[in-house]
Amino acid sequence: MQPRDPIMRKERSREIRADIRRVLLDTWDPIGIANEPNAQDEYKSYLGGVYAILSRGGSVDELQDHLLAIVRDCMGMSPPVTREHMRSTAEALKQISILL
């Protein structure tokens, strides 16, 4: 089997990141910016970490922990946000095919 074309791999990587971005906006959205056109890139800095977890086959639990850490440590949000609040997002992220 020949390796895939690097241009195709790059395009697929962009598609995966777009899928992650959609889940973060549509399902996660802890700060409520999904309907704010000027804030659509607000979660862009979190795409790489999620992509890395998915690409190494990380679990729903690992994704939940990662998302909760972002909410608490990067966004400064405190309880009542819990790990369980991250479950539907983590499950949606695990549905993304990361095959390049």
Side-chain angles (χ1 to χ4, degrees):
M1 179 180 249
Q2 294 180 342
R4 292 186 62 180
D5 181 336
I7 294 171
M8 290 176 65
R9 289 177 59 88
K10 189 172 187 176
E11 179 60 32
R12 180 63 190 131
S13 177
R14 284 187 189 127
E15 291 170 1
I16 293 166
R17 289 176 189 277
D19 290 344
I20 293 169
R21 181 180 163 275
R22 268 191 294 282
V23 170
L24 294 182
L25 281 170
D26 296 344
T27 307
W28 186 49
D29 197 21
I31 59 175
I33 53 121
N35 295 318
E36 296 294 331
N38 294 328
Q40 296 299 296
D41 286 339
E42 186 68 26
Y43 303 144
K44 186 177 182 178
S45 64
Y46 309 128
L47 299 179
V50 171
Y51 189 111
I53 293 168
L54 292 174
S55 67
R56 68 173 182 268
S59 67
V60 167
D61 288 339
E62 186 177 356
L63 286 162
Q64 280 180 268
D65 291 340
H66 180 73
L67 295 170
L68 184 58
I70 291 170
V71 169
R72 287 187 177 160
D73 302 339
C74 299
M75 296 179 177
M77 297 174 76
S78 58
V81 177
T82 67
R83 188 174 179 277
E84 194 54 36
H85 288 113
M86 306 300 131
R87 185 153 195 88
S88 61
T89 302
E91 289 172 346
L93 289 167
K94 283 294 287 181
Q95 297 303 308
I96 296 171
S97 172
I98 52 119
L99 296 177
L100 294 174

